[in-house]
Amino acid sequence: MTVKTYKTVAPDGRRVAFSCRVNGLRDDWFWQMRLTSKTVSVGVTIGRPGYIDKNLESQKLQVVDRITYKSSTLLRAVNAERDGWFIGWKGRHHDLMFGGANSGPDMTAVVALLDLIDIADAPAGLVLRPLAGSGVVLWNMAGTTDIPGAGPVTFYPLTEAGALVPDGNGLRVGTGHVWKKSLDVNGVQRGETFVHVNNSAVALIPDDRSRDERVTEAALEDLLDSLDIQWSN
């Protein structure tokens, strides 16, 4: 295996360099964050083209509105019970999605929200810039990619995710430190996760060896020992 580097652009315009020792990196990253405006707070996801269609199929969503917005397709969908909503914007290089519970906003409200954001879609990444005075804020930024043999890696800028760093000293590795912690949700054991921390990022890597035969100990060790994620300021 050799060290490979993938460079991308986060939705807030910061550049990210992701390096590790692997056979190859996949170009199927997605980003998640929260968007808060004066009237709404929703989760936002950015993925490669086709991500919207996969979600529509996997969640069995029904498209109820479809229009053209800034030369791209904008659609609104609901689930069968109509107690959850989904908005998808299909750009040339990326898909933009957000949604929530209950019936959700109508298309007029969605367009009004998007009008408060400058959307710049390029091969390197989709960047969202709230207009001055709009009151729109993007926060809790996280990127996820899948490493062949090691599983998914989700990473955050260290300056915004310091609370994820465990107490005590971690194991010293190539570019940082690693901890292993158990995940409990409402008292139920949800497996174990590796926490990798360097001077720029916090990365979470679930230990899926017992659940996914494609994940190997050797690939996990290589990833944890060589992982280096650098966010620009």
Side-chain angles (χ1 to χ4, degrees):
M1 292 188 180
T2 60
V3 173
K4 297 183 180 294
T5 299
Y6 184 95
K7 295 182 179 179
T8 186
V9 177
D12 60 1
R14 284 180 289 182
R15 296 188 175 276
V16 182
F18 185 107
S19 300
C20 59
R21 190 165 58 248
V22 288
N23 287 324
L25 286 176
R26 296 175 180 169
D27 191 21
D28 59 354
W29 298 43
F30 66 91
W31 292 88
Q32 293 181 306
M33 70 217 79
R34 296 292 300 179
L35 181 152
T36 303
S37 73
K38 296 176 181 178
T39 58
V40 68
S41 179
V42 295
V44 180
T45 302
I46 294 172
R48 290 294 185 182
Y51 205 82
I52 286 176
D53 293 332
K54 289 180 181 178
N55 275 269
L56 292 174
E57 181 179 358
S58 65
Q59 299 180 41
K60 296 180 171 57
L61 299 173
Q62 177 187 359
V63 177
V64 293
D65 287 303
R66 188 190 302 264
I67 65 172
T68 298
Y69 177 79
K70 294 186 177 179
S71 301
S72 297
T73 297
L74 178 66
L75 60 85
R76 186 172 71 93
V78 297
N79 59 17
E81 293 76 23
R82 291 185 175 266
D83 59 1
W85 58 276
F86 174 94
I87 301 296
W89 177 88
K90 295 183 176 183
R92 182 177 180 183
H93 305 288
H94 297 85
D95 285 354
L96 169 66
M97 298 146 283
F98 54 98
N102 303 317
S103 59
D106 59 23
M107 196 63 99
T108 300
V110 173
V111 170
L113 175 61
L114 292 178
D115 282 344
L116 300 176
I117 306 168
D118 177 39
I119 304 175
D121 188 18
L126 186 147
V127 177
L128 306 175
R129 297 192 186 280
L131 302 182
S134 65
V136 174
V137 178
L138 298 173
W139 52 284
N140 199 25
M141 195 84 55
T144 299
T145 189
D146 190 75
I147 303 298
V153 179
T154 300
F155 54 94
Y156 309 78
L158 178 61
T159 54
E160 300 167 17
L164 294 175
V165 181
D167 296 328
N169 296 321
L171 175 66
R172 187 74 173 89
V173 291
T175 64
H177 293 81
V178 171
W179 291 259
K180 191 175 186 182
K181 62 184 295 186
S182 298
L183 293 182
D184 294 318
V185 179
N186 298 325
V188 178
Q189 180 72 15
R190 298 295 188 185
E192 295 184 312
T193 293
F194 294 102
V195 182
H196 183 287
V197 181
N198 66 7
N199 64 347
S200 183
V202 179
L204 304 182
I205 304 102
D207 185 356
D208 285 339
R209 286 174 291 182
S210 63
R211 295 185 294 272
D212 189 342
E213 62 182 12
R214 296 170 298 178
V215 176
T216 67
E217 184 170 354
L220 271 174
E221 288 182 353
D222 272 330
L223 172 64
L224 293 169
D225 185 57
S226 62
L227 183 62
D228 186 19
I229 305 169
Q230 295 296 325
W231 292 71
S232 66
N233 295 324

Coordinates of all heavy atoms in Angstrom, one line a residue, residues 190-192 206-214:
R190 N -23.5 0.3 21.3 CA -23.6 0.4 19.9 C -22.3 0.2 19.2 O -22.0 0.6 18.1 CB -24.1 1.9 19.5 CG -25.5 2.2 20.0 CD -26.6 1.3 19.4 NE -27.9 1.8 19.7 CZ -29.0 1.1 19.3 NH1 -28.9 0.0 18.6 NH2 -30.2 1.6 19.7
G191 N -21.4 -0.6 19.8 CA -20.1 -0.9 19.3 C -19.0 0.0 19.7 O -19.2 0.9 20.6
E192 N -17.9 -0.1 19.1 CA -16.7 0.7 19.4 C -16.2 1.5 18.3 O -16.4 1.1 17.1 CB -15.6 -0.2 20.0 CG -15.9 -0.9 21.3 CD -14.8 -1.8 21.8 OE1 -14.2 -2.5 21.0 OE2 -14.5 -1.6 23.0
P206 N -15.6 3.7 12.9 CA -16.2 2.6 13.6 C -15.4 1.3 13.5 O -14.8 1.1 12.4 CB -17.6 2.5 13.0 CG -17.4 3.1 11.7 CD -16.4 4.2 11.8
D207 N -15.3 0.5 14.5 CA -14.6 -0.8 14.4 C -15.7 -1.8 14.0 O -16.4 -2.4 14.8 CB -14.1 -1.2 15.8 CG -13.3 -2.5 15.7 OD1 -13.2 -3.1 14.7 OD2 -12.7 -2.9 16.8
D208 N -15.7 -2.0 12.6 CA -16.7 -2.8 12.0 C -16.2 -4.2 11.7 O -16.9 -5.0 10.9 CB -17.3 -2.2 10.8 CG -18.2 -1.0 11.0 OD1 -18.7 -1.0 12.1 OD2 -18.4 -0.2 10.1
R209 N -15.1 -4.7 12.3 CA -14.6 -6.0 12.0 C -15.5 -7.1 12.2 O -15.5 -8.1 11.5 CB -13.2 -6.2 12.7 CG -12.1 -5.4 12.2 CD -10.9 -5.5 13.0 NE -11.0 -4.8 14.3 CZ -10.1 -4.8 15.2 NH1 -8.9 -5.3 15.0 NH2 -10.3 -4.2 16.4
S210 N -16.3 -7.0 13.3 CA -17.2 -8.1 13.7 C -18.5 -8.0 12.9 O -19.3 -9.0 12.9 CB -17.6 -8.0 15.2 OG -18.2 -6.8 15.5
R211 N -18.8 -6.9 12.1 CA -20.1 -6.8 11.4 C -19.9 -6.7 9.9 O -20.9 -7.0 9.2 CB -20.8 -5.5 11.9 CG -21.2 -5.4 13.3 CD -22.0 -4.2 13.6 NE -21.1 -3.0 13.5 CZ -20.4 -2.5 14.5 NH1 -20.4 -3.1 15.7 NH2 -19.7 -1.4 14.3
D212 N -18.7 -6.5 9.4 CA -18.5 -6.4 8.0 C -17.2 -7.1 7.6 O -16.1 -6.7 8.0 CB -18.3 -4.9 7.6 CG -18.3 -4.6 6.1 OD1 -18.1 -5.6 5.4 OD2 -18.5 -3.5 5.7
E213 N -17.4 -8.2 6.9 CA -16.3 -9.1 6.5 C -15.3 -8.4 5.6 O -14.1 -8.8 5.5 CB -16.8 -10.3 5.9 CG -17.5 -10.1 4.6 CD -18.0 -11.4 4.0 OE1 -18.0 -12.5 4.7 OE2 -18.5 -11.4 2.8
R214 N -15.7 -7.3 5.0 CA -14.8 -6.5 4.1 C -13.8 -5.7 4.9 O -12.7 -5.3 4.4 CB -15.5 -5.6 3.2 CG -16.4 -6.3 2.2 CD -17.4 -5.4 1.5 NE -18.3 -4.7 2.4 CZ -19.1 -3.8 2.1 NH1 -19.3 -3.4 0.8 NH2 -19.9 -3.2 3.0

